[in-house]
Amino acid sequence: MTLEQIKDLLDAKVVVGDNKLDLEITTAFGADLMSDVLAFARSGCLLITGLSNPQAVRTAYALDIAAIIVCRGKALTDKFIEIAKELGIPILWTQFIMFEACGRLYREGLTGCIREVFVEDKQRAQ
Amino acid sequence: MPSEEYLEGIYQIQGRDFVDAGIVSSEMKKKLKEKGIPESIIRKVAVVTFEAEVNIISYAEQGTIRYYVEPNSVTIEANDIGAGIEDLELAQQEGYSTADDSIREMGFGAGMGLANIKNHSDEFEISSVPHEGTYLRSTIYLNGK
């Protein structure tokens, strides 16, 4: 689905990236812990988070995450918006809690960027 | 390697400077993009650098992150003066963390850092002296493993 559709489904405001609403997104990852985003999220996904500090934007940039939707109506600082503009990461803002945001997007066809984390795979990788 | 293709840099990092966490990762990523390094490689470098940066900010007084690009690899070296690590094996276990609230409020401190660096590295080396500091080196091959 497009970022525009995501915006409509979540009754969201576009904070950064007005010109990128035609961006096509098929997968998502939801977390407040950037440690887990860095470990498990995949490039091109939508990041659904309640963390609205500069580290969330920088984490998204590191992983080539397509866009961020800030949930739970969290307040956004000028610094957060400034860094998102600088790094070219679209930011949407919704008052839905994370569970609602994820559920509404999943129902319309968005899927997880990975489905499960297998302990065996991680042990093999180490 | 011809000198015009060689790329390296060094960044200073101040302990407890939470606001700027991730800035080195972002800056380094921009530089590697300009050089035309493949995106999948840059992502690995950016993740490794981010984790190393957060570790220095969280546990050290100060440190440096140095990177250099060679014909077949990118290497990231993180050096710090600080708390060091008592038990390296334990510190590399996923979920083991000594993070305090200031680190968790920033969105880090899940105990994934060193394990994640290791998972993204083709070569990985770490050494530490408790109460002195930590040295970490991660090399990522340009052509995969």
Side-chain angles (χ1 to χ4, degrees):
Chain A
M1 67 180 72
T2 64
L3 203 54
E4 173 108 53
Q5 287 171 292
I6 292 169
K7 174 185 94 87
D8 292 343
L9 284 167
L10 300 182
D11 199 11
K13 286 183 185 150
V14 182
V15 181
V16 177
D18 260 331
N19 54 342
K20 290 186 176 172
L21 292 178
D22 56 351
L23 201 65
E24 193 68 38
I25 293 175
T26 56
T27 62
F29 189 84
D32 287 350
L33 201 54
M34 292 303 114
S35 295
D36 281 351
V37 178
L38 280 172
F40 303 125
R42 297 287 185 267
S43 66
C45 76
L46 172 75
L47 175 61
I48 304 158
T49 186
L51 190 79
S52 57
N53 67 13
Q55 283 72 42
V57 183
R58 295 201 183 280
T59 298
Y61 182 68
L63 290 167
D64 296 317
I65 282 172
I68 299 175
I69 179 136
V70 176
C71 58
R72 300 195 290 275
K74 285 284 175 135
L76 304 179
T77 61
D78 291 344
K79 180 91 178 161
F80 176 88
I81 295 167
E82 179 196 321
I83 293 173
K85 282 181 183 161
E86 179 203 324
L87 298 177
I89 312 268
I91 305 290
L92 302 188
W93 182 89
T94 180
Q95 289 176 313
F96 283 116
I97 60 170
M98 190 185 286
F99 181 84
E100 277 289 331
C102 295
R104 283 164 193 258
L105 296 176
Y106 192 89
R107 190 174 56 194
E108 298 301 320
L110 213 63
T111 56
C113 63
I114 56 171
R115 287 192 67 148
E116 295 169 85
V117 175
F118 295 103
V119 177
E120 306 80 41
D121 290 345
K122 287 195 287 181
Q123 281 169 348
R124 210 177 302 132
Q126 278 173 20
Chain B
M1 181 176 207
S3 59
E4 67 269 20
E5 284 183 29
Y6 193 74
L7 179 65
E8 68 172 327
I10 187 158
Y11 298 90
Q12 304 288 333
I13 295 168
Q14 196 59 41
R16 315 305 289 180
D17 179 15
F18 293 116
V19 178
D20 281 339
I23 201 165
V24 174
S25 170
S26 301
E27 291 302 313
M28 206 188 277
K29 181 161 184 156
K30 285 182 202 161
K31 290 247 163 64
L32 294 178
K33 270 186 172 178
E34 285 167 15
K35 278 281 162 188
I37 308 271
E39 281 186 5
S40 60
I41 304 295
I42 298 180
R43 268 198 295 279
K44 289 183 184 179
V45 174
V47 168
V48 166
T49 305
F50 209 128
E51 299 277 19
E53 236 181 304
V54 170
N55 282 349
I56 294 175
I57 290 167
S58 303
Y59 302 112
E61 287 160 31
Q62 55 181 337
T64 56
I65 290 185
R66 188 169 93 88
Y67 73 98
Y68 49 92
V69 183
E70 292 177 294
N72 299 316
S73 64
V74 183
T75 295
I76 301 111
E77 281 183 331
N79 241 314
D80 70 55
I81 301 167
I85 301 168
E86 299 272 355
D87 186 335
L88 278 174
E89 205 174 314
L90 189 59
Q92 290 174 57
Q93 275 179 23
E94 283 185 18
Y96 177 79
S97 175
T98 58
D100 62 22
D101 285 348
S102 59
I103 298 164
R104 292 185 200 276
E105 277 164 23
M106 192 176 64
F108 293 89
M112 298 297 296
L114 286 178
N116 201 27
I117 291 176
K118 211 169 161 183
N119 285 342
H120 281 82
S121 304
D122 293 311
E123 289 174 28
F124 174 76
E125 186 193 334
I126 185 165
S127 58
S128 185
V129 179
H131 313 298
E132 287 190 16
T134 302
Y135 167 82
L136 180 152
R137 183 175 60 83
S138 161
T139 296
I140 293 153
Y141 300 152
L142 295 178
N143 319 321
K145 287 191 182 181

